[in-house]
Amino acid sequence: MINIFEVNETNKMIEQDNLDVRTITLGISLLDCISDDLDTLNNNIYNKIKRLASNLVQTGEDISKQFGIPIVNKRISVTPIALIGGAACKTPDDFVTIAQTLDKVAKEVGVNFLGGYSALVNKGMTPAEEMLIRSIPKALASTERVCSSVNVGSTKTGLNMDAVKLMGEMIVETATLTKEQDSLGCAKLVVFCNAPDDNPFMAGAFHGVTEADAIINVGVSGPGVVKHALSKVRGENFEVLCETIKKTAFKVTRVGQLVACEASKRLGIPFGIVDLSLAPTPAIGDSVADILEEIGLERAGAPGTTAALALLNDQVKKGGVMASSYVGGLSGAFIPVSEDQGMIDAVKEGALTIEKLEAMTCVCSVGLDMIAIPGDTKATTISGIIADEAAIGMINQKTTAVRLIPVIGKGVGEIVEFGGLLGYAPIMPVNGFSCDNFVNRTGRIPAPIHSFKN
């Protein structure tokens, strides 16, 4: 049983070390909204979300006030829209109307983001899924709060290279349609391999078809807390280092468990999971890169970075799973460039490259996240980067993702401002050698041999 005394123990973390609950995410199934009439479908979607989510934001604010825990975001995730709109949508523009309905209801209930404008095309694409994917650029350009994701592969199915190629093209098109906002649309679009059904973090959140009709998922954070704890054991051996991270992760996760249970009780909606990811912000001191440097690196990206990140990720998970019976989502350490001041500094100083970030994704929770690249980067090059990252996830049986932002009109070394939690980023160079002939092959890369476990 969690009680207020456990929360009081974390007061100092909240006041001094940027501890927060990053998000309460309400997952909503839209399967019972399906209709072959587009207007009826949009009305059904609007009405169900409005009914279930009308008290979400206020509930989060009430919990925050009662327990003194900052709850930064209140969000919604829905069933992948490619599954919901197939009967009613005859063109990509039909799917865009659904995105606009989602945006409208997200604004009305007050959430900051709504995820699930998504397609799961691990092995192949239905006509409806391809239409949704082709609608993504226009959907993200014509909405403010809708987030999109596409899962292009898994350990069980291999990689759908047709979808990988198409996503490179869609990212470029999204960047072009939102170029007046420094290609901001791409910050709301993520390409996955092995996407989990219960991830509360944007832009990749969707409500999986294996989930209940509605569910409460919570994402906690706290890199500043971990960094502060490690500063007290500076120079100690690895055993002390690991124990400190585990104990800190335990306390952080208990806060998330409390918020999740309280939100579930007040909303009358079942509790799903706590995602115990260390999610940084642009705030000074709230950085995963700073933790890596506290462990002993001069700069994130130095030799030893991948090992340090592997250690951090593993100990966070070991501490977190003792604090909650239901740990899920991504759970580990995010390494987004634009959202982490330490990562930004490392890029500016030349310590961190895309290639080093890719190596780090082999041992962390997600992938190449919030990386600004030159606006003239070819679609096939972006597809090649997606394929590389998806292959890491497929072979290693883990979730990986890509959120690249080709900033139209800007080049290497320039700075792009996204604002809020999305932060700002220096534009990073991309390998200029061509992968066109590889990406232009059709079909899929087969599942790895170790996927056959039946």
Side-chain angles (χ1 to χ4, degrees), residues 119-453:
L120 310 180
V121 292
N122 317 359
K123 198 171 181 181
M125 290 182 283
T126 65
E129 288 165 338
E130 183 173 349
M131 275 194 292
L132 180 131
I133 291 172
R134 293 189 181 278
S135 77
I136 287 172
K138 190 171 181 180
L140 296 182
S142 62
T143 59
E144 294 178 16
R145 307 189 188 196
V146 171
C147 292
S148 180
S149 60
V150 178
N151 194 73
V152 297
S154 73
T155 299
K156 278 289 188 182
T157 63
L159 302 184
N160 181 351
M161 290 301 292
D162 294 328
V164 169
K165 178 184 178 183
L166 182 57
M167 285 311 300
E169 297 166 1
M170 293 303 99
I171 288 170
V172 169
E173 189 175 332
T174 302
T176 302
L177 289 182
T178 58
K179 64 182 180 182
E180 301 305 321
Q181 295 84 43
D182 280 334
S183 303
L184 181 63
C186 296
K188 300 184 290 178
L189 172 59
V190 59
V191 185
F192 275 116
C193 177
N194 287 324
D197 282 354
D198 54 9
N199 164 30
F201 285 105
M202 301 297 169
F206 61 85
H207 186 72
V209 294
T210 61
E211 298 289 308
D213 188 60
I215 209 83
I216 290 289
N217 295 324
V218 165
V220 297
S221 187
V225 178
V226 175
K227 199 265 185 186
H228 181 75
L230 293 183
S231 69
K232 297 178 180 179
V233 295
R234 194 171 293 161
E236 296 282 356
N237 63 33
F238 281 106
E239 181 180 357
V240 173
L241 178 73
C242 292
E243 286 297 310
T244 302
I245 295 171
K246 279 195 297 184
K247 290 175 182 177
T248 306
F250 178 89
K251 293 176 183 178
V252 169
T253 306
R254 291 297 271 179
V255 174
Q257 175 86 358
L258 171 70
V259 170
C261 292
E262 193 66 26
S264 171
K265 182 174 68 176
R266 296 187 187 195
L267 291 168
I269 293 172
F271 160 48
I273 57 96
V274 174
D275 186 316
L276 50 96
S277 295
L278 294 180
T281 72
I284 301 297
D286 201 26
S287 162
V288 171
D290 286 355
I291 298 174
L292 300 177
E293 291 167 16
E294 185 62 49
I295 289 174
L297 306 172
E298 181 181 5
R299 267 282 179 246
T305 296
T306 305
L309 182 59
L311 178 156
L312 172 65
N313 213 44
D314 185 55
Q315 300 310 311
V316 165
K317 291 181 179 181
K318 285 175 178 173
V321 295
M322 292 298 292
S324 173
S325 298
Y326 299 103
V327 170
L330 299 167
S331 289
F334 284 92
I335 52 171
V337 173
S338 79
E339 299 173 13
D340 187 314
Q341 185 61 50
M343 294 289 181
I344 294 168
D345 293 340
V347 169
K348 286 181 176 179
E349 294 181 22
L352 200 57
T353 64
I354 289 180
E355 288 75 19
K356 184 60 177 178
L357 283 163
E358 183 179 298
M360 293 163 67
T361 66
C362 296
V363 299
C364 80
S365 297
V366 198
L368 297 172
D369 195 18
M370 286 302 292
I371 297 173
I373 60 175
D376 59 359
T377 305
K378 293 193 301 183
T380 50
T381 298
I382 293 172
S383 294
I385 295 171
I386 292 170
D388 284 343
E389 195 59 39
I392 290 172
M394 175 183 72
I395 295 296
N396 291 291
Q397 304 178 67
K398 67 186 293 295
T399 301
T400 52
V402 172
R403 188 161 45 150
L404 296 179
I405 306 164
V407 185
I408 304 300
K410 292 190 175 181
V412 173
E414 293 187 72
I415 300 295
V416 56
E417 293 275 357
F418 300 118
L421 280 176
L422 297 177
Y424 73 98
I427 296 177
M428 301 179 69
V430 174
N431 191 313
F433 287 91
S434 173
C435 61
D436 292 7
N437 291 339
F438 174 72
V439 170
N440 287 329
R441 293 177 182 269
T442 57
R444 59 190 174 94
I445 295 176
I449 187 66
H450 58 254
S451 69
F452 303 120
K453 293 185 176 180

